[in-house]
Amino acid sequence: MRHLLPLAALLLAGGLATADDKKADTSTKVTGTLTVPKDHPSMDKLALEIRLYQYDPKIADKAADLVEKVEVKKFTHEKGKETVEKFEVGAKGAIKDGMAYYLTVYVLDGDTRVSRGELSHDAGLGKVLTGGHPREVKVTAKAIGKK
């Protein structure tokens, strides 16, 4: 009984942390998985480029600002086999009030985009982080110029 009193006092004082007590992540870190389907054309030693952008959704004529660019050099995919690449971008930045964020994923052959990453939750702009959009994403590579 005497051991239960300190435990009860600790609980009443809020001394035990719960999962809800975790602080919200305010970084611009986005993690994800890029999947290149097995029917996608082969790619040999190309560049996988992942960019995170920040923009003000209230201003139409202002270019977005690059938060971070991550490049995987010598990215390879063999047709007939699924390729999976994990990534992280934007970990050093902080979410700014009123701003919105989007992600672009491309495979480049020199300066030519040969494949585009389509986010499973948003096939359009690729919004992330704010407005209910996720910070963990699944991306599927689509060959540019192919349906």
Side-chain angles (χ1 to χ4, degrees), residues 25-132:
D25 186 353
T26 58
S27 78
T28 54
K29 180 172 92 171
V30 175
T31 58
T33 303
L34 169 68
T35 302
V36 183
K38 61 184 179 180
D39 62 343
H40 190 288
S42 292
M43 299 180 281
D44 187 37
K45 298 180 183 172
L46 302 183
L48 169 61
E49 185 180 87
I50 301 150
R51 292 180 181 226
L52 177 64
Y53 288 96
Q54 168 187 286
Y55 68 100
D56 187 336
K58 298 178 292 305
I59 301 174
D61 294 335
K62 183 181 180 302
D65 296 316
L66 180 65
V67 174
E68 186 180 16
K69 175 176 104 174
V70 172
E71 189 173 33
V72 177
K73 296 182 183 206
K74 298 183 180 178
F75 181 73
T76 301
H77 165 73
E78 184 181 332
K79 186 173 182 172
K81 295 182 181 179
E82 183 177 84
T83 301
V84 177
E85 181 80 23
K86 293 188 181 294
F87 64 86
E88 177 179 299
V89 65
K92 294 178 185 175
I95 293 174
K96 295 182 182 172
D97 287 341
M99 300 303 275
Y101 299 83
Y102 69 91
L103 191 71
T104 64
V105 180
Y106 289 101
V107 178
L108 302 148
D109 185 359
D111 290 333
T112 303
R113 294 174 174 170
V114 297
S115 187
R116 175 186 184 275
E118 190 173 279
L119 280 71
S120 63
H121 74 279
D122 183 7
L125 187 56
K127 294 179 183 179
V128 292
L129 297 173
T130 57

Side-chain angles (χ1 to χ4, degrees), residues 11 14-23:
L11 288 171
L16 294 180
T18 66
D20 293 335
D21 293 337
K22 288 184 181 178
K23 290 188 177 188

